[in-house]
Amino acid sequence: MSPMITSILILSLATGTIITLASFHWLLAWMGLELNTLAILPIISKSHHPRATEASTKYFLTQAAASALILFSSVMNAQATGQWGILQLEDPLAQTLLTMALAMKLGLAPAHFWLPEVLQGTSFKTGLIIITWQKLAPMALLLLTWNQASMLTLTMMGSLSVIVGGLGGLNQTQLRKIIAFSSIAHLGWMATIITKSNKLALLNLTMYILISTPMMLSLIFSSTKTTQDLTTSAPSPILAPLT
């Protein structure tokens, strides 16, 4: 992929996220999410490997279904209330559907199956974008509608995500899958915390990004892909038994 095309795709990623963050209308927020999804697909499949193509297909299908559900819930809310504002989500069914759609975009359980498979089929650089930057737009919508979202749905999905993320990463040897299950568990804690305080959830998201970024960068620079690679890339033999 040429540097110009890569720059355009990265710029489109940033633009889509900024549009969603700055929007107060559901159609603009949906447009930003769609731009985000379409920009990341060529980045995922740029290696032309069958696993990368499979990962991009799974990512596209999941994100397209979640975006369609967001659009459907916003139309349902507009039909019931006559309002298209993000902060005017008043229809109970639309609140539940929107919560489920944002949870699907983030990778909360039980709609978490796509995240480990997508991360396993991509490079660490693309995986870093997926677990950090791609979480900003749907998480921002969740933070904006935290007092109008379905608290029961968020609590149940968040608690299930913590359990699934904690248990799913125990028997893995691939670091990308371990990171994916770790992301699911952290997102579960964010979803649970957001029912009590959106500021604490934002702090949790910030800390997660600040911790995940240097960890992923260290794995990229050391070309480490499995837990066995950690033993050879460790600076001291003492760390080898710990892995």
Side-chain angles (χ1 to χ4, degrees):
M1 188 179 294
S2 66
M4 181 177 293
I5 295 177
T6 304
S7 302
I8 292 174
L9 293 176
I10 296 296
L11 182 61
S12 300
L13 273 178
T15 304
T17 303
I18 292 172
I19 288 174
T20 303
L21 294 178
S23 61
F24 286 94
H25 194 283
W26 278 116
L27 287 181
L28 285 176
W30 171 80
M31 185 178 69
L33 292 173
E34 286 295 297
L35 185 59
N36 237 348
T37 302
L38 293 177
I40 194 68
L41 291 177
I43 298 177
I44 296 176
S45 59
K46 67 179 179 179
S47 63
H48 301 292
H49 192 272
R51 290 297 299 271
T53 305
E54 179 186 355
S56 62
T57 304
K58 290 179 178 178
Y59 187 85
F60 169 73
L61 292 176
T62 307
Q63 299 296 315
S67 296
L69 197 55
I70 289 175
L71 192 60
F72 178 69
S73 62
S74 61
V75 170
M76 184 180 296
N77 182 73
Q79 185 179 10
T81 63
Q83 303 290 336
W84 282 93
I86 292 179
L87 301 178
Q88 296 167 337
L89 192 66
E90 300 174 1
D91 185 64
L93 182 57
Q95 292 174 353
T96 304
L97 290 177
L98 178 71
T99 305
M100 294 174 63
L102 292 177
M104 187 186 298
K105 272 196 166 294
L106 289 169
L108 288 174
H112 67 284
F113 298 101
W114 63 271
L115 187 55
E117 299 297 326
V118 169
L119 281 190
Q120 185 61 30
T122 61
S123 63
F124 273 99
K125 293 180 182 179
T126 309
L128 177 61
I129 297 175
I130 292 174
I131 66 172
T132 55
W133 186 265
Q134 291 298 93
K135 306 296 182 186
L136 294 179
M139 201 67 190
L141 293 178
L142 203 57
L143 289 170
L144 284 174
T145 59
W146 74 277
N147 58 344
Q148 298 173 324
S150 177
M151 296 300 175
L152 179 61
T153 305
L154 267 181
T155 304
M156 291 180 61
M157 298 185 81
S159 303
L160 185 60
S161 297
V162 171
I163 297 173
V164 170
L167 297 178
L170 290 178
N171 203 26
Q172 301 291 335
T173 58
Q174 295 290 329
L175 291 178
R176 279 170 290 190
K177 284 197 173 182
I178 295 176
I179 292 169
F181 283 109
S182 172
S183 177
I184 293 170
H186 279 88
L187 289 169
W189 283 116
M190 292 178 208
T192 307
I193 293 171
I194 206 173
T195 59
K196 304 299 181 183
S197 172
N198 60 341
K199 294 182 180 179
L200 284 178
L202 181 60
L203 177 62
N204 194 353
L205 176 64
T206 305
M207 293 299 297
Y208 170 70
I209 292 176
L210 290 177
I211 292 172
S212 298
T213 302
M215 177 194 67
M216 291 287 285
L217 290 177
S218 64
L219 295 177
I220 292 171
F221 293 143
S222 61
S223 300
T224 306
K225 295 182 179 180
T226 64
T227 53
Q228 293 180 348
D229 295 337
L230 288 173
T231 62
T232 58
S233 63
S236 172
I238 300 176
L239 296 178
L242 299 178
T243 59

